[in-house]
Amino acid sequence: MSNTDLIKEWIERGPFPYFPPTMDDFMIERFLYVCNNDIKRTKEVLQLFFKFRAETPEFFTNRDPISENLKNILDVVYVFPMPKKTNEGYQVYITHLADSNPDKFDFISYSKMFFDVSDVRMKIEEKIPTGDIPIFDMTGFTLKHLMKLMFNLGSVKKYMRITQEAHPVSLKQIHVINTSPLLEKVLTFLRPLMREEVKKMIHFHTEGSDTLYQFIPRDVIPVEFGGKGASINETKNYWKKQIEENRDWINSNPWTNTKYSESKKSQCITESPRQSFQSLNLD
């Protein structure tokens, strides 16, 4: 019996009240791949993936990509995978402030758009990337942006937990480009929310340096950052089209058990990562 079949059989035995009614084989294969085919680890991540979605309504409900808030955030923050992968098959993500006015930045809307794009990406991908490399551009990031994150500390904590513990990608590197004097304050805020292995992946690049290209080929990087890849606007327009075409699918919350989610609306996830894992049924 294949590992995919083992996981399917485990899901069918259940019960897992927060799992959706159906789950296709390719999605199971994705989780197995990013967990290095470790059955126990795959079960842990699968359960956290669905549990977080059912119990974090601020991110996973009311996320219609053509709603006013999400349409607006598309013009404020770009958070898109680049069309070309690295030679190793790594998927590069760009996060860039298109509008540096902090009054227009809304963390919840950003998070919903991030998961909209990520979900559609997982839906339409024909091949699972060998790894992910996010690039965060600090250009235009101000103290007011940081203060807005700090005022949303509870949601930021949940976002960091979901993306580090329950997001089915294999992080390989993290790059922060166009660093500024504000960087140390940002890190002071974020470091306590990062797993140790994630901290070790981070590389910093000052404005005007070409050190990023020691890690990622120029033909993958947007032209706006000195690369030779697709422009940020081209990439934005591609993903805007993709999420709009998949709007009905997104709005159906295909990876959320809505009945369980409704029963948990008034609750929020407060356990530590260790407690979360201990509460999961891995039999």
Side-chain angles (χ1 to χ4, degrees), residues 174-223:
I174 301 170
H175 296 276
V176 182
I177 64 174
N178 297 316
T179 57
S180 72
L182 188 60
L183 177 63
E184 195 52 47
K185 287 185 173 65
V186 175
L187 291 176
T188 299
F189 172 62
L190 290 178
R191 272 197 186 107
L193 309 179
M194 294 182 188
R195 296 165 70 105
E196 287 303 316
E197 60 267 34
V198 172
K199 293 176 187 177
K200 295 174 183 177
M201 296 180 186
I202 305 177
H203 304 271
F204 301 100
H205 309 275
T206 57
E207 185 177 359
S209 74
D210 60 1
T211 51
L212 178 64
Y213 309 122
Q214 297 172 14
F215 300 88
I216 304 171
R218 285 184 184 269
D219 60 355
V220 177
I221 304 297
V223 293

Short mmCIF file of all heavy atoms in Angstrom, two decimals, residues 174-223:
data_model
loop_
_atom_site.label_atom_id
_atom_site.label_comp_id
_atom_site.label_asym_id
_atom_site.label_seq_id
_atom_site.Cartn_x
_atom_site.Cartn_y
_atom_site.Cartn_z
N ILE A 174 14.95 32.29 3.04
CA ILE A 174 14.13 33.48 3.19
C ILE A 174 15.05 34.67 2.96
O ILE A 174 16.14 34.74 3.55
CB ILE A 174 13.49 33.58 4.59
CG1 ILE A 174 12.60 32.36 4.86
CG2 ILE A 174 12.68 34.86 4.74
CD1 ILE A 174 12.13 32.26 6.31
N HIS A 175 14.62 35.60 2.12
CA HIS A 175 15.45 36.76 1.82
C HIS A 175 14.70 38.05 2.14
O HIS A 175 13.52 38.19 1.80
CB HIS A 175 15.87 36.76 0.35
CG HIS A 175 16.75 35.59 -0.01
ND1 HIS A 175 18.11 35.60 0.19
CD2 HIS A 175 16.45 34.36 -0.51
CE1 HIS A 175 18.62 34.45 -0.19
NE2 HIS A 175 17.63 33.67 -0.61
N VAL A 176 15.39 38.96 2.80
CA VAL A 176 14.87 40.29 3.08
C VAL A 176 15.75 41.27 2.32
O VAL A 176 16.96 41.36 2.57
CB VAL A 176 14.88 40.61 4.58
CG1 VAL A 176 14.28 42.00 4.84
CG2 VAL A 176 14.13 39.54 5.37
N ILE A 177 15.15 41.97 1.36
CA ILE A 177 15.93 42.87 0.50
C ILE A 177 15.61 44.33 0.82
O ILE A 177 14.60 44.65 1.44
CB ILE A 177 15.70 42.58 -0.99
CG1 ILE A 177 14.24 42.85 -1.39
CG2 ILE A 177 16.07 41.14 -1.31
CD1 ILE A 177 13.97 42.73 -2.88
N ASN A 178 16.53 45.21 0.38
CA ASN A 178 16.39 46.66 0.61
C ASN A 178 16.17 46.95 2.10
O ASN A 178 15.24 47.66 2.49
CB ASN A 178 15.25 47.24 -0.23
CG ASN A 178 15.51 47.10 -1.72
OD1 ASN A 178 16.63 47.36 -2.18
ND2 ASN A 178 14.51 46.66 -2.48
N THR A 179 17.03 46.34 2.92
CA THR A 179 16.90 46.51 4.37
C THR A 179 17.10 47.98 4.74
O THR A 179 17.77 48.74 4.05
CB THR A 179 17.92 45.64 5.11
OG1 THR A 179 19.25 45.96 4.65
CG2 THR A 179 17.66 44.17 4.87
N SER A 180 16.51 48.35 5.88
CA SER A 180 16.56 49.73 6.35
C SER A 180 16.91 49.75 7.83
O SER A 180 16.94 48.70 8.49
CB SER A 180 15.20 50.39 6.12
OG SER A 180 14.25 49.87 7.03
N PRO A 181 17.16 50.96 8.39
CA PRO A 181 17.44 51.04 9.84
C PRO A 181 16.32 50.49 10.71
O PRO A 181 16.52 50.18 11.88
CB PRO A 181 17.64 52.55 10.06
CG PRO A 181 18.09 53.07 8.74
CD PRO A 181 17.34 52.26 7.72
N LEU A 182 15.12 50.35 10.14
CA LEU A 182 13.97 49.82 10.89
C LEU A 182 14.06 48.31 11.08
O LEU A 182 13.33 47.73 11.89
CB LEU A 182 12.68 50.19 10.14
CG LEU A 182 11.34 49.91 10.80
CD1 LEU A 182 11.20 50.66 12.12
CD2 LEU A 182 10.20 50.30 9.85
N LEU A 183 14.97 47.66 10.37
CA LEU A 183 15.04 46.20 10.37
C LEU A 183 15.15 45.61 11.77
O LEU A 183 14.46 44.63 12.09
CB LEU A 183 16.22 45.73 9.51
CG LEU A 183 16.47 44.22 9.48
CD1 LEU A 183 15.28 43.48 8.86
CD2 LEU A 183 17.74 43.90 8.70
N GLU A 184 16.00 46.17 12.61
CA GLU A 184 16.21 45.59 13.94
C GLU A 184 14.93 45.62 14.77
O GLU A 184 14.63 44.68 15.50
CB GLU A 184 17.34 46.32 14.67
CG GLU A 184 17.86 45.57 15.89
CD GLU A 184 18.24 44.11 15.59
OE1 GLU A 184 18.93 43.85 14.58
OE2 GLU A 184 17.82 43.22 16.36
N LYS A 185 14.15 46.70 14.63
CA LYS A 185 12.87 46.78 15.36
C LYS A 185 11.90 45.70 14.84
O LYS A 185 11.18 45.08 15.62
CB LYS A 185 12.25 48.16 15.19
CG LYS A 185 12.95 49.27 15.97
CD LYS A 185 12.18 50.57 15.84
CE LYS A 185 12.76 51.66 16.73
NZ LYS A 185 14.14 52.04 16.34
N VAL A 186 11.88 45.49 13.53
CA VAL A 186 11.02 44.46 12.95
C VAL A 186 11.42 43.09 13.47
O VAL A 186 10.57 42.28 13.85
CB VAL A 186 11.10 44.50 11.41
CG1 VAL A 186 10.30 43.35 10.80
CG2 VAL A 186 10.58 45.83 10.87
N LEU A 187 12.71 42.82 13.49
CA LEU A 187 13.18 41.52 13.96
C LEU A 187 12.91 41.32 15.44
O LEU A 187 12.61 40.20 15.88
CB LEU A 187 14.68 41.38 13.66
CG LEU A 187 15.05 41.27 12.18
CD1 LEU A 187 16.57 41.23 12.02
CD2 LEU A 187 14.42 40.04 11.54
N THR A 188 13.04 42.38 16.23
CA THR A 188 12.73 42.28 17.66
C THR A 188 11.28 41.85 17.86
O THR A 188 10.96 41.07 18.76
CB THR A 188 12.97 43.63 18.35
OG1 THR A 188 14.36 43.99 18.21
CG2 THR A 188 12.63 43.56 19.83
N PHE A 189 10.40 42.33 16.99
CA PHE A 189 8.98 41.97 17.05
C PHE A 189 8.74 40.54 16.56
O PHE A 189 7.97 39.78 17.17
CB PHE A 189 8.17 42.97 16.22
CG PHE A 189 6.73 42.62 16.05
CD1 PHE A 189 5.87 42.51 17.14
CD2 PHE A 189 6.20 42.38 14.79
CE1 PHE A 189 4.53 42.19 16.98
CE2 PHE A 189 4.87 42.05 14.62
CZ PHE A 189 4.02 41.96 15.72
N LEU A 190 9.39 40.16 15.46
CA LEU A 190 9.07 38.89 14.81
C LEU A 190 9.86 37.69 15.33
O LEU A 190 9.37 36.56 15.28
CB LEU A 190 9.29 39.01 13.30
CG LEU A 190 8.30 39.89 12.54
CD1 LEU A 190 8.67 39.95 11.07
CD2 LEU A 190 6.87 39.39 12.69
N ARG A 191 11.08 37.91 15.79
CA ARG A 191 11.92 36.77 16.19
C ARG A 191 11.24 35.83 17.19
O ARG A 191 11.33 34.60 17.04
CB ARG A 191 13.26 37.26 16.75
CG ARG A 191 14.33 37.47 15.70
CD ARG A 191 15.72 37.55 16.33
NE ARG A 191 16.72 37.89 15.34
CZ ARG A 191 17.32 39.07 15.24
NH1 ARG A 191 16.99 40.03 16.09
NH2 ARG A 191 18.22 39.30 14.32
N PRO A 192 10.57 36.35 18.22
CA PRO A 192 9.93 35.43 19.18
C PRO A 192 8.84 34.56 18.55
O PRO A 192 8.44 33.55 19.13
CB PRO A 192 9.33 36.38 20.23
CG PRO A 192 10.10 37.64 20.10
CD PRO A 192 10.42 37.75 18.65
N LEU A 193 8.35 34.95 17.36
CA LEU A 193 7.29 34.21 16.69
C LEU A 193 7.82 33.22 15.67
O LEU A 193 7.04 32.50 15.04
CB LEU A 193 6.33 35.18 15.98
CG LEU A 193 5.78 36.34 16.83
CD1 LEU A 193 4.88 37.23 15.99
CD2 LEU A 193 5.04 35.82 18.05
N MET A 194 9.15 33.18 15.52
CA MET A 194 9.76 32.32 14.50
C MET A 194 10.31 31.04 15.11
O MET A 194 10.88 31.06 16.21
CB MET A 194 10.91 33.04 13.80
CG MET A 194 10.53 34.21 12.98
SD MET A 194 12.04 34.89 12.19
CE MET A 194 11.37 36.39 11.48
N ARG A 195 10.17 29.95 14.40
CA ARG A 195 10.82 28.71 14.79
C ARG A 195 12.32 28.84 14.55
O ARG A 195 12.76 29.58 13.65
CB ARG A 195 10.25 27.54 13.99
CG ARG A 195 8.77 27.28 14.27
CD ARG A 195 8.15 26.38 13.23
NE ARG A 195 8.65 25.03 13.36
CZ ARG A 195 7.96 24.00 13.87
NH1 ARG A 195 6.74 24.21 14.30
NH2 ARG A 195 8.46 22.81 13.92
N GLU A 196 13.11 28.12 15.34
CA GLU A 196 14.57 28.26 15.24
C GLU A 196 15.08 27.92 13.85
O GLU A 196 15.96 28.58 13.31
CB GLU A 196 15.25 27.36 16.29
CG GLU A 196 15.14 27.88 17.71
CD GLU A 196 15.70 29.28 17.87
OE1 GLU A 196 16.79 29.56 17.33
OE2 GLU A 196 15.05 30.10 18.54
N GLU A 197 14.52 26.87 13.23
CA GLU A 197 15.00 26.48 11.91
C GLU A 197 14.67 27.53 10.85
O GLU A 197 15.38 27.67 9.85
CB GLU A 197 14.44 25.12 11.50
CG GLU A 197 12.93 25.03 11.41
CD GLU A 197 12.28 24.55 12.69
OE1 GLU A 197 12.80 24.85 13.80
OE2 GLU A 197 11.24 23.87 12.60
N VAL A 198 13.59 28.29 11.09
CA VAL A 198 13.22 29.36 10.16
C VAL A 198 14.18 30.54 10.30
O VAL A 198 14.61 31.12 9.29
CB VAL A 198 11.76 29.81 10.41
CG1 VAL A 198 11.42 31.06 9.60
CG2 VAL A 198 10.79 28.68 10.05
N LYS A 199 14.54 30.87 11.52
CA LYS A 199 15.49 31.97 11.74
C LYS A 199 16.80 31.74 10.99
O LYS A 199 17.40 32.68 10.46
CB LYS A 199 15.79 32.13 13.23
CG LYS A 199 14.62 32.58 14.07
CD LYS A 199 15.01 32.61 15.55
CE LYS A 199 13.83 32.88 16.44
NZ LYS A 199 14.19 32.83 17.88
N LYS A 200 17.24 30.50 10.94
CA LYS A 200 18.52 30.18 10.30
C LYS A 200 18.48 30.31 8.78
O LYS A 200 19.52 30.31 8.13
CB LYS A 200 18.95 28.76 10.70
CG LYS A 200 19.27 28.61 12.18
CD LYS A 200 19.54 27.16 12.55
CE LYS A 200 19.77 27.00 14.04
NZ LYS A 200 19.97 25.57 14.42
N MET A 201 17.29 30.38 8.20
CA MET A 201 17.15 30.46 6.75
C MET A 201 17.24 31.89 6.22
O MET A 201 17.31 32.10 5.01
CB MET A 201 15.80 29.87 6.31
CG MET A 201 15.61 28.40 6.59
SD MET A 201 13.96 27.90 6.02
CE MET A 201 13.91 26.21 6.61
N ILE A 202 17.18 32.90 7.12
CA ILE A 202 17.03 34.28 6.68
C ILE A 202 18.36 34.88 6.23
O ILE A 202 19.38 34.75 6.90
CB ILE A 202 16.41 35.14 7.79
CG1 ILE A 202 15.08 34.53 8.27
CG2 ILE A 202 16.19 36.57 7.31
CD1 ILE A 202 14.44 35.28 9.42
N HIS A 203 18.31 35.56 5.08
CA HIS A 203 19.45 36.29 4.54
C HIS A 203 19.02 37.74 4.31
O HIS A 203 17.91 37.99 3.81
CB HIS A 203 19.93 35.68 3.22
CG HIS A 203 20.28 34.23 3.32
ND1 HIS A 203 21.54 33.78 3.64
CD2 HIS A 203 19.51 33.11 3.14
CE1 HIS A 203 21.55 32.46 3.65
NE2 HIS A 203 20.32 32.03 3.35
N PHE A 204 19.89 38.69 4.64
CA PHE A 204 19.57 40.10 4.50
C PHE A 204 20.42 40.73 3.41
O PHE A 204 21.60 40.42 3.26
CB PHE A 204 19.79 40.82 5.83
CG PHE A 204 18.97 40.26 6.96
CD1 PHE A 204 19.54 39.38 7.89
CD2 PHE A 204 17.63 40.58 7.10
CE1 PHE A 204 18.79 38.84 8.92
CE2 PHE A 204 16.87 40.05 8.13
CZ PHE A 204 17.44 39.19 9.03
N HIS A 205 19.79 41.65 2.66
CA HIS A 205 20.47 42.29 1.54
C HIS A 205 20.18 43.79 1.57
O HIS A 205 19.01 44.20 1.53
CB HIS A 205 19.98 41.69 0.21
CG HIS A 205 20.02 40.19 0.18
ND1 HIS A 205 21.15 39.48 -0.14
CD2 HIS A 205 19.05 39.27 0.47
CE1 HIS A 205 20.88 38.18 -0.08
NE2 HIS A 205 19.62 38.03 0.30
N THR A 206 21.22 44.58 1.64
CA THR A 206 21.04 46.03 1.69
C THR A 206 20.66 46.58 0.32
O THR A 206 20.87 45.92 -0.71
CB THR A 206 22.33 46.72 2.18
OG1 THR A 206 23.40 46.34 1.30
CG2 THR A 206 22.67 46.31 3.60
N GLU A 207 20.12 47.78 0.32
CA GLU A 207 19.70 48.43 -0.93
C GLU A 207 20.91 48.60 -1.85
O GLU A 207 21.98 49.04 -1.44
CB GLU A 207 19.08 49.79 -0.63
CG GLU A 207 18.52 50.47 -1.87
CD GLU A 207 17.84 51.78 -1.54
OE1 GLU A 207 17.78 52.15 -0.34
OE2 GLU A 207 17.36 52.44 -2.48
N GLY A 208 20.75 48.22 -3.10
CA GLY A 208 21.80 48.39 -4.09
C GLY A 208 22.80 47.25 -4.16
O GLY A 208 23.64 47.21 -5.07
N SER A 209 22.70 46.28 -3.23
CA SER A 209 23.65 45.16 -3.26
C SER A 209 23.17 44.11 -4.26
O SER A 209 22.00 44.07 -4.64
CB SER A 209 23.78 44.53 -1.87
OG SER A 209 22.62 43.78 -1.55
N ASP A 210 24.09 43.26 -4.70
CA ASP A 210 23.72 42.19 -5.63
C ASP A 210 23.89 40.82 -4.99
O ASP A 210 23.97 39.81 -5.68
CB ASP A 210 24.52 42.29 -6.93
CG ASP A 210 26.03 42.17 -6.69
OD1 ASP A 210 26.45 41.98 -5.52
OD2 ASP A 210 26.78 42.25 -7.67
N THR A 211 23.91 40.79 -3.65
CA THR A 211 24.13 39.53 -2.94
C THR A 211 22.98 38.54 -3.12
O THR A 211 23.17 37.33 -2.99
CB THR A 211 24.35 39.78 -1.44
OG1 THR A 211 23.29 40.61 -0.95
CG2 THR A 211 25.68 40.50 -1.20
N LEU A 212 21.78 39.06 -3.44
CA LEU A 212 20.63 38.16 -3.65
C LEU A 212 20.90 37.18 -4.77
O LEU A 212 20.47 36.02 -4.71
CB LEU A 212 19.38 38.99 -3.96
CG LEU A 212 18.08 38.23 -4.25
CD1 LEU A 212 17.63 37.44 -3.02
CD2 LEU A 212 16.98 39.18 -4.71
N TYR A 213 21.64 37.63 -5.79
CA TYR A 213 21.87 36.79 -6.96
C TYR A 213 22.88 35.68 -6.71
O TYR A 213 23.08 34.83 -7.56
CB TYR A 213 22.31 37.66 -8.14
CG TYR A 213 21.37 38.82 -8.35
CD1 TYR A 213 21.84 40.13 -8.32
CD2 TYR A 213 20.01 38.62 -8.54
CE1 TYR A 213 20.98 41.20 -8.49
CE2 TYR A 213 19.14 39.68 -8.70
CZ TYR A 213 19.63 40.98 -8.67
OH TYR A 213 18.77 42.03 -8.82
N GLN A 214 23.48 35.67 -5.53
CA GLN A 214 24.33 34.54 -5.15
C GLN A 214 23.46 33.33 -4.80
O GLN A 214 23.94 32.21 -4.76
CB GLN A 214 25.21 34.92 -3.96
CG GLN A 214 26.20 36.05 -4.25
CD GLN A 214 26.91 36.52 -2.99
OE1 GLN A 214 26.86 35.86 -1.95
NE2 GLN A 214 27.56 37.68 -3.08
N PHE A 215 22.17 33.59 -4.55
CA PHE A 215 21.24 32.54 -4.15
C PHE A 215 20.20 32.22 -5.24
O PHE A 215 19.79 31.07 -5.38
CB PHE A 215 20.49 32.95 -2.88
CG PHE A 215 21.37 33.22 -1.70
CD1 PHE A 215 21.91 34.48 -1.48
CD2 PHE A 215 21.68 32.21 -0.80
CE1 PHE A 215 22.72 34.73 -0.39
CE2 PHE A 215 22.48 32.43 0.30
CZ PHE A 215 23.02 33.71 0.51
N ILE A 216 19.77 33.26 -5.94
CA ILE A 216 18.67 33.11 -6.90
C ILE A 216 19.09 33.71 -8.23
O ILE A 216 19.56 34.85 -8.29
CB ILE A 216 17.39 33.83 -6.39
CG1 ILE A 216 17.01 33.31 -4.99
CG2 ILE A 216 16.23 33.61 -7.36
CD1 ILE A 216 15.91 34.09 -4.33
N PRO A 217 18.92 32.98 -9.34
CA PRO A 217 19.31 33.50 -10.66
C PRO A 217 18.54 34.77 -11.02
O PRO A 217 17.37 34.93 -10.66
CB PRO A 217 18.95 32.35 -11.61
CG PRO A 217 18.83 31.14 -10.76
CD PRO A 217 18.37 31.61 -9.41
N ARG A 218 19.18 35.64 -11.77
CA ARG A 218 18.56 36.90 -12.17
C ARG A 218 17.29 36.68 -13.00
O ARG A 218 16.37 37.49 -12.95
CB ARG A 218 19.55 37.75 -12.97
CG ARG A 218 20.63 38.40 -12.12
CD ARG A 218 21.52 39.31 -12.96
NE ARG A 218 22.61 39.87 -12.19
CZ ARG A 218 22.54 41.04 -11.55
NH1 ARG A 218 21.43 41.75 -11.61
NH2 ARG A 218 23.57 41.49 -10.86
N ASP A 219 17.25 35.60 -13.78
CA ASP A 219 16.08 35.42 -14.65
C ASP A 219 14.83 34.98 -13.90
O ASP A 219 13.76 34.83 -14.49
CB ASP A 219 16.39 34.44 -15.79
CG ASP A 219 16.78 33.05 -15.31
OD1 ASP A 219 16.91 32.86 -14.08
OD2 ASP A 219 16.95 32.15 -16.16
N VAL A 220 14.96 34.78 -12.58
CA VAL A 220 13.79 34.48 -11.75
C VAL A 220 13.30 35.75 -11.05
O VAL A 220 12.11 35.87 -10.73
CB VAL A 220 14.15 33.39 -10.70
CG1 VAL A 220 12.97 33.11 -9.77
CG2 VAL A 220 14.59 32.11 -11.40
N ILE A 221 14.20 36.70 -10.83
CA ILE A 221 13.92 37.91 -10.06
C ILE A 221 13.23 38.96 -10.94
O ILE A 221 13.60 39.14 -12.10
CB ILE A 221 15.22 38.49 -9.48
CG1 ILE A 221 15.94 37.45 -8.62
CG2 ILE A 221 14.95 39.76 -8.66
CD1 ILE A 221 15.18 37.00 -7.42
N PRO A 222 12.23 39.68 -10.41
CA PRO A 222 11.56 40.73 -11.21
C PRO A 222 12.54 41.80 -11.68
O PRO A 222 13.52 42.10 -10.99
CB PRO A 222 10.53 41.32 -10.24
CG PRO A 222 10.35 40.31 -9.17
CD PRO A 222 11.65 39.57 -9.05
N VAL A 223 12.23 42.40 -12.81
CA VAL A 223 13.10 43.44 -13.36
C VAL A 223 13.21 44.62 -12.40
O VAL A 223 14.24 45.31 -12.36
CB VAL A 223 12.58 43.91 -14.74
CG1 VAL A 223 12.72 42.81 -15.76
CG2 VAL A 223 11.13 44.37 -14.65
#
